């Protein structure tokens, strides 16, 4: 197959042999060019200057002998095939030459044209195959180096033994060599990810198309698709960068769940969030509010100014609505000019009313679109889970109906689906406002109820109980405003005021010469969550001059159990000053007996429901008796609340209850009536 011109170099010092070979070549039909060197050094020069296809090399040259010539030639022309020319007696050496990489050898004595040509052909063919092989190796190397697939080898210890260019590029290393200087572990976002993969690999021998988060040299995270095989303790890995694909997927997902114009979640996502909120709420007992908002005059704006202005208005409205909401709320565009707002943790109606009010007022400022100043307003319908519906569809339908009601009532307002809610909300809002005023304008009053020893009938304490002298509604009992005060946070102000008033009053009685009693004050759970709670109480004691041992604080069981580990230090700090603690309404909550031991509590008040039950249900006797025994074993004094009859009192005496409080002895009284129970100090 040798069609092209063959460039032959003969390195031979014997002119006779040179001639002979020339002759043979001339007589052949070979297309060739011929050059000749008489010494090895001459031959090397020629090899450097010209390209040859084959070398005919004499074994014995004047400047080199035997096998020494071969490495010299290989150094300058490693890929050119060599055919050795040897004498008969050199045959053994010639075989060694073959081992050194010579293609063939010819015995000078036996050489003829056919043999020479055959040998040249053979050498040439071999060169061609070698070239092809080298070329294919090069191609393969390029393929690995330049492919988009990252390829690497590592051992189980995590040393990278090989990495291709693609992998280095993928992970932002300057070269495969630089990659090989780091450990495989540092390429994973979490060591756990590598450990998991290795576990699978060791068990099964391979891992296919596994998505991992890899970290690049500059610390970026990339999503890679990884396939691994294990051979002995060598891991071969192939990696494809799927970060772009992931981004695309994210974009597609975003588009499917968002409104392109405003970037807000769309109806689908809104429903998803609502469904999630409902399932969470049924677990944690929160209310969920769905607000359906419709712009009042959007159609007119759109028709008169065109769609582009309409679109800009929707975008501006969306931005403004977002500022009215909390991070956890969802606002979605669910139709042309309709928005859905989800409040997943609505603790009380006030929160919802506040947000709805905030949204309505957000529309008071006009929107500037191009050179137009646009005035628009919104109508909002509100439905509440679980009251107005138990599922997504019903809640949406009812919020929508409420929104139409808001439109009917003159637009630019909000309506609850439940008509009673509308009335109640108004009433509560009015009440909240006037309660806020009540504290400032001195409408609150404290009544005092005596707490007496069952054995001696002696007065030991007075419980301070707040009332509200409402200008229109008359004297309001705590149950009519304390829950509202707790919801709105006003309770801390009320309690502080009661605490200060009661301490002042107690000190006044002492100064007036009465024998001292303790004043018991009820504090709501909100107090214990305030870091300055201990300071507030100490400050009030200091200001009023009341010694701490004449103050008792009543806490309900429920309050006690909230964040108990956090609040124990507060209790201890106050108890150290001499203030006493009493557990109120004991029996209806869920105190853990374990905690009772840990707390600085001296007194326990059995809830009045147990005392009123004494006359009707024998079980209550058993329970009350058990509670008293238990309290005594924990060295606590027991007070029975709500004692109304002689029978109740007698029973309590029999079972050794320590103190009692109730109408049987006295109702709560205004401060000026209380001294009738106090004795002069001796
Ligand atoms: P409490 O701390 O358990 O107070 C005892 C309640 O039982 C008082 O109701 C008292 O008037 C009532 N009571 C006393 N003896 C009898 C009786 O023989 N029969 C009946 N049926 N009831 C009796 P009041 O004053 O209406 O207070 C109700 C609750 O409001 C209190 O229960 C307390 O939890 C809360 N409270 C009152 N004042 C304050 C305050 O200043 N701050 C806070 N946070 N809560 C207060
Ligand atoms: Mg109480
Ligand atoms: Mg009580």
């Amino acid at each position: 197959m040798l069609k092209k011109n063959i460039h032959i170099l003969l390195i031979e010092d014997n002119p006779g042999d040179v001639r002979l070979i020339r002759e043979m070549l001339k007589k052949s039909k070979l297309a060739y060019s011929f050059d000749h060197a008489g010494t090895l050094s001459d031959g090397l020069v020629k090899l450097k200057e010209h390209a040859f296809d084959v070398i005919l090399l004499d074994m014995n040259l004047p400047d080199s002998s035997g096998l020494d010539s071969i490495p010299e030639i290989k150094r300058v022309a490693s890929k050119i095939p060599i055919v050795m020319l040897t004498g008969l007696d050199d045959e053994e050496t010639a075989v060694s030459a073959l081992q050194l990489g010579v293609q063939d050898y010819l015995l000078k004595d036996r050489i003829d044209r056919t043999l020479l040509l055959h040998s040249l052909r053979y050498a040439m063919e071999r060169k061609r195959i070698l070239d092809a092989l080298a070329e294919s190796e090069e191609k393969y190397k390029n393929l690995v180096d330049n492919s988009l697939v990252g390829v690497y080898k590592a051992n189980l210890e995590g040393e990278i033994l090989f990495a291709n260019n693609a992998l280095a590029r993928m992970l932002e290393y300057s070269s495969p060599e630089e990659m090989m200087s780091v450990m495989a572990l540092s390429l994973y976002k979490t060591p756990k990810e590598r450990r998991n993969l290795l576990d699978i690999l060791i068990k099964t021998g391979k891992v296919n198309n596994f998505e991992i988060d890899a970290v690049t040299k500059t610390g970026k995270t990339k999503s890679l698709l990884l396939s691994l095989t294990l051979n002995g303790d060598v891991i071969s890995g192939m990696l494809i960068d799927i970060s772009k694909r992931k981004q695309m997927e994210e974009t597609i997902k975003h588009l499917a769940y968002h409104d392109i114009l405003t970037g807000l979640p769309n109806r689908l996502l809104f429903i998803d969030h609502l469904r999630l909120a409902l399932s969470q709420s049924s677990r944690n007992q929160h209310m969920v509010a769905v607000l359906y908002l419709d712009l009042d005059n959007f159609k007119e704006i759109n028709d008169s100014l065109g769609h582009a202005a309409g679109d800009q208005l929707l975008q501006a409205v969306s931005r403004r609505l977002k500022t009215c909401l909390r991070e956890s709320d969802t606002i979605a565009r669910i139709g042309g000019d309709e928005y859905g707002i989800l409040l997943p943790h609505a603790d009380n109606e006030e929160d919802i009313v506040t947000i709805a009010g905030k949204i309505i007022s957000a529309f008071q400022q006009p929107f500037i679109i191009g050179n137009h100043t646009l005035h628009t307003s919104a109508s909002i319908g509100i439905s509440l889970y679980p009251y107005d519906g138990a599922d997504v569809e019903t809640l949406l339908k009812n919020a929508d109906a409420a929104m139409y009601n808001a439109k009917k009532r003159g637009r630019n307002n909000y309506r609850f689906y439940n008509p009673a809610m509308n009335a109640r909300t108004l009433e509560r809002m009015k009440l909240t406002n006037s309660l806020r005023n009540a504290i400032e304008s001195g409408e609150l009053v404290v009544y005092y109820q005596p707490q007496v020893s069952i054995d001696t009938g002696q007065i030991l304490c007075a419980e301070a109980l707040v009332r509200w002298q409402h200008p229109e509604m008359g004297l309001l009992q705590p149950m009519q405003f304390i829950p509202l005060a707790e919801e709105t946070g006003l309770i801390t102000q009320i309690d502080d005021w009661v605490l200060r008033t009661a301490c002042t009053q107690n000190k006044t009685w002492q100064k007036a010469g009465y024998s001292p009693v303790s004043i018991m004050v009820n504090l709501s759970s909100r107090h214990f969550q305030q870091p300055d709670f201990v300071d507030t109480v100490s400050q009030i004691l200091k200001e009023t001059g009341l010694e701490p041992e004449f103050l008792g604080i009543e806490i309900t069981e429920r309050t006690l159990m909230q964040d108990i580990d956090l609040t124990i230090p507060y209790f201890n700090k106050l108890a150290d000053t001499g203030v006493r603690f009493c557990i109120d309404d004991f029996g209806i909550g869920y105190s853990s007996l374990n905690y009772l031991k840990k707390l600085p509590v001296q007194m326990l008040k059995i809830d009045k429901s147990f005392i009123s039950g004494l006359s009707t249900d024998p079980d209550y006797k058993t329970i009350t008796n058990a509670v008293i025994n238990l309290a005594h074993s924990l060295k606590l004094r027991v007070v029975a609340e709500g004692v109304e009859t002689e029978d109740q009192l007698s029973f309590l005496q029999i079972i050794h209850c320590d103190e009692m409080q109730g109408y049987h002895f006295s109702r709560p009284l205004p401060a000026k009536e209380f001294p009738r129970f106090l004795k002069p100090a001796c």
Side-chain angles (χ1 to χ4, degrees):
M1 302 289 252
L2 299 172
K3 287 198 176 129
K4 65 172 194 150
N5 225 6
I6 306 168
H7 304 291
I8 303 167
L9 173 65
L10 171 67
I11 307 176
E12 170 66 79
D13 61 328
N14 184 332
D17 290 343
V18 176
R19 203 178 324 113
L20 189 72
I21 286 175
R22 261 190 206 276
E23 287 302 309
M24 283 183 204
L25 288 171
K26 254 188 209 162
K27 284 184 186 149
S28 75
K29 287 183 185 129
L30 196 68
Y32 71 97
S33 71
F34 181 85
D35 205 345
H36 163 240
T39 60
L40 177 65
S41 47
D42 203 9
L44 293 177
V45 173
K46 286 187 187 281
L47 280 169
K48 277 184 205 155
E49 286 171 357
H50 309 284
F52 292 98
D53 296 312
V54 62
I55 302 164
L56 282 165
L57 174 67
D58 180 23
M59 190 76 161
N60 291 305
L61 293 165
D63 53 350
S64 168
S65 67
L67 302 173
D68 296 346
S69 315
I70 301 166
E72 296 283 321
I73 290 177
K74 287 263 174 211
R75 203 165 307 134
V76 291
S78 65
K79 288 189 182 146
I80 304 177
I82 303 171
V83 177
M84 277 298 246
L85 301 171
T86 71
L88 242 187
D89 45 352
D90 279 339
E91 193 161 357
E92 207 173 303
T93 324
V95 173
S96 310
L98 284 179
Q99 282 160 0
L100 281 176
V102 160
Q103 267 67 46
D104 202 1
Y105 70 94
L106 294 170
L107 295 174
K108 283 185 179 171
D109 304 354
R110 303 223 182 116
I111 198 164
D112 63 15
R113 189 159 36 102
T114 323
L115 213 56
L116 177 66
L117 286 184
H118 176 81
S119 185
L120 285 176
R121 272 180 221 279
Y122 168 75
M124 295 298 297
E125 185 61 15
R126 199 179 142 93
K127 177 170 169 5
R128 197 185 63 79
I129 290 168
L130 278 178
D131 282 355
L133 203 65
E135 197 180 321
S136 119
E137 246 173 37
E138 186 67 23
K139 255 195 215 153
Y140 172 73
K141 190 169 171 294
N142 281 341
L143 203 67
V144 170
D145 279 351
N146 300 319
S147 77
L148 293 174
V149 179
V151 178
Y152 79 96
K153 276 184 197 295
N155 59 22
L156 283 171
E157 281 75 50
E159 285 168 332
I160 300 176
L161 311 171
F162 167 80
N164 71 346
N165 279 330
L167 186 64
R169 255 196 322 270
M170 220 178 262
L171 295 171
E172 301 189 308
Y173 286 86
S174 57
S175 65
E177 288 70 31
E178 192 192 5
M179 273 218 69
M180 282 186 255
S181 66
V182 300
M183 296 296 280
L185 183 64
S186 61
L187 310 177
Y188 288 83
K189 196 162 181 197
T190 60
K192 201 171 150 226
E193 197 161 28
R194 178 170 187 265
R195 220 175 311 118
N196 289 347
L197 272 173
L198 282 188
D199 284 350
I200 304 173
L201 189 63
I202 289 166
K203 256 186 227 145
T204 64
K206 63 177 178 213
V207 169
N208 277 336
N209 296 333
F210 207 89
E211 264 188 55
I212 60 158
D213 280 336
V215 184
T216 69
K217 188 183 163 192
T218 62
K220 283 186 214 135
T221 302
K222 277 198 170 181
S223 302
L224 303 182
L225 200 64
L226 172 71
S227 295
L228 297 174
T229 49
L230 183 65
N231 214 330
D233 76 338
V234 176
I235 303 165
S236 305
M238 285 210 322
L239 293 143
I240 300 171
D241 187 349
I242 53 167
S243 305
K244 284 218 174 76
R245 195 182 86 193
K246 290 281 257 190
Q247 266 170 19
M248 288 281 280
E249 279 170 9
E250 285 300 311
T251 314
I252 291 168
K253 216 158 94 190
H254 185 86
L255 288 176
Y257 282 103
H258 288 80
D259 168 47
I260 299 176
L261 179 67
T262 60
L264 292 179
N266 61 14
R267 191 185 177 89
L268 268 180
L269 189 54
F270 185 76
I271 289 175
D272 245 31
H273 283 197
L274 178 53
R275 198 161 280 139
L276 186 72
L278 295 188
S279 73
Q280 281 173 349
S281 159
S282 54
R283 260 179 275 134
N284 60 24
Q285 309 287 303
H286 277 297
M287 252 194 312
V288 175
V290 177
L291 280 65
Y292 210 107
L293 180 150
D294 188 282
L295 296 183
D296 286 333
N297 49 350
F298 182 71
K299 194 174 171 328
E300 289 89 315
I301 294 173
N302 220 17
D303 288 349
S304 56
L305 298 180
H307 289 288
D311 283 356
Q312 283 180 49
L313 177 63
L314 289 172
Q315 287 169 331
V317 165
S318 307
R319 281 195 294 275
R320 204 173 282 181
L321 285 175
K322 271 201 244 175
T323 64
C324 302
L325 301 171
R326 295 163 299 197
E327 194 68 24
S328 54
D329 304 332
T330 300
I331 165 151
R333 182 171 171 228
I334 52 183
D337 61 344
E338 288 170 357
Y339 292 85
I341 294 162
L342 169 70
L343 312 179
H345 310 291
D347 285 328
N348 52 57
E349 292 138 30
E350 264 69 37
D351 277 1
I352 303 162
V353 167
T354 309
I355 290 180
K358 214 164 147 190
I359 295 174
I360 296 290
S361 1
F363 282 87
Q364 274 166 9
Q365 291 293 319
F367 292 89
I368 313 293
I369 305 294
N371 21 3
H372 301 285
T373 302
L374 303 178
H375 290 272
T376 181
S377 57
S379 299
I380 303 173
I382 307 168
S383 65
L384 297 180
Y385 171 85
Y387 311 108
D388 303 331
D391 56 74
V392 168
E393 290 72 28
T394 317
L395 286 165
L396 278 174
K397 191 177 83 197
N398 291 346
D400 192 25
M403 188 271 290
Y404 275 101
N405 194 12
K407 290 247 185 220
K408 263 202 300 201
R409 286 175 182 258
R411 305 171 159 202
N412 192 24
N413 66 27
Y414 61 87
R415 302 297 296 173
F416 281 93
Y417 174 69
N418 181 343
M421 269 291 295
N422 290 320
R424 208 161 63 231
T425 314
L426 266 178
E427 198 182 292
R428 282 165 67 88
M429 273 175 72
K430 263 170 58 191
L431 202 64
T432 310
N433 280 336
S434 47
L435 182 58
R436 197 166 278 130
N437 263 336
I439 307 169
E440 283 150 25
S441 50
E443 291 166 14
L444 297 182
V445 272
V446 180
Y447 275 43
Y448 299 90
Q449 187 177 33
Q451 195 175 306
V452 298
S453 156
I454 286 190
D455 288 340
T456 63
Q458 193 196 342
I459 297 206
L460 304 169
C461 308
E463 180 171 8
L465 297 159
V466 71
R467 269 101 185 94
W468 178 8
Q469 188 63 59
H470 194 281
E472 290 141 29
M473 294 190 264
L475 190 68
L476 299 182
Q477 297 300 310
M479 279 310 126
Q480 291 172 275
F481 62 92
I482 293 280
L484 182 65
E486 279 181 335
E487 276 175 25
T488 52
L490 284 171
I491 191 70
T492 38
Q493 276 166 269
I494 295 179
D495 281 353
D496 285 356
W497 180 83
V498 172
L499 183 65
R500 182 170 280 116
T501 310
C503 289
T504 312
Q505 185 60 67
N506 202 14
K507 190 71 195 172
T508 310
W509 287 328
Q510 287 180 12
K511 280 189 193 150
Y514 294 112
S515 178
V517 293
S518 288
I519 194 87
M520 305 299 293
V521 178
N522 297 283
L523 289 188
S524 106
S525 64
R526 288 250 190 179
H527 268 93
F528 303 100
Q529 288 149 11
Q530 316 237 307
D532 58 354
F533 152 70
V534 176
D535 294 341
T536 311
V537 178
S538 309
Q539 182 63 25
I540 289 176
L541 284 169
K542 211 166 126 198
E543 280 170 24
T544 58
L546 186 72
E547 290 78 14
E549 59 266 38
F550 295 118
L551 172 66
I553 291 177
E554 296 195 3
I555 324 148
T556 59
E557 278 184 289
R558 198 159 48 94
T559 306
L560 194 70
M561 298 311 291
Q562 279 171 8
D563 300 327
I564 185 146
D565 289 317
L566 267 165
T567 45
I568 284 181
Y570 294 158
F571 288 120
N572 284 330
K573 216 167 157 193
L574 264 187
D576 286 347
T577 68
V579 172
R580 295 189 300 157
F581 284 94
C582 167
I583 298 179
D584 205 354
D585 304 345
F586 188 82
I588 54 169
Y590 19 72
S591 317
S592 143
L593 293 177
N594 204 18
Y595 277 114
L596 279 184
K597 273 197 304 192
K598 287 192 192 170
L599 287 161
V601 175
Q602 286 85 15
M603 203 186 276
L604 192 150
K605 281 192 178 180
I606 304 180
D607 188 67
K608 52 181 178 292
S609 56
F610 289 89
I611 309 303
S612 65
L614 288 179
S615 22
T616 51
D617 187 343
D619 282 349
Y620 280 97
K621 289 190 172 169
T622 320
I623 297 169
T624 310
N625 193 13
V627 169
I628 290 174
N629 286 333
L630 167 85
H632 284 164
S633 71
L634 291 169
K635 310 240 171 343
L636 301 175
R637 283 182 73 77
V638 187
V639 186
E641 263 188 338
V643 180
E644 293 184 352
T645 67
E646 188 61 42
D647 283 355
Q648 289 166 348
L649 179 59
S650 323
F651 178 72
L652 291 165
Q653 266 166 337
I654 295 168
I655 60 171
H656 303 295
C657 183
D658 304 291
E659 297 174 29
M660 66 118 169
Q661 179 181 352
Y663 296 168
H664 182 64
F665 190 79
S666 168
R667 288 184 174 259
L669 299 169
K672 62 175 184 321
E673 291 180 32
F674 194 79
R676 69 169 128 115
F677 294 114
L678 297 172
K679 292 204 177 68
C682 29

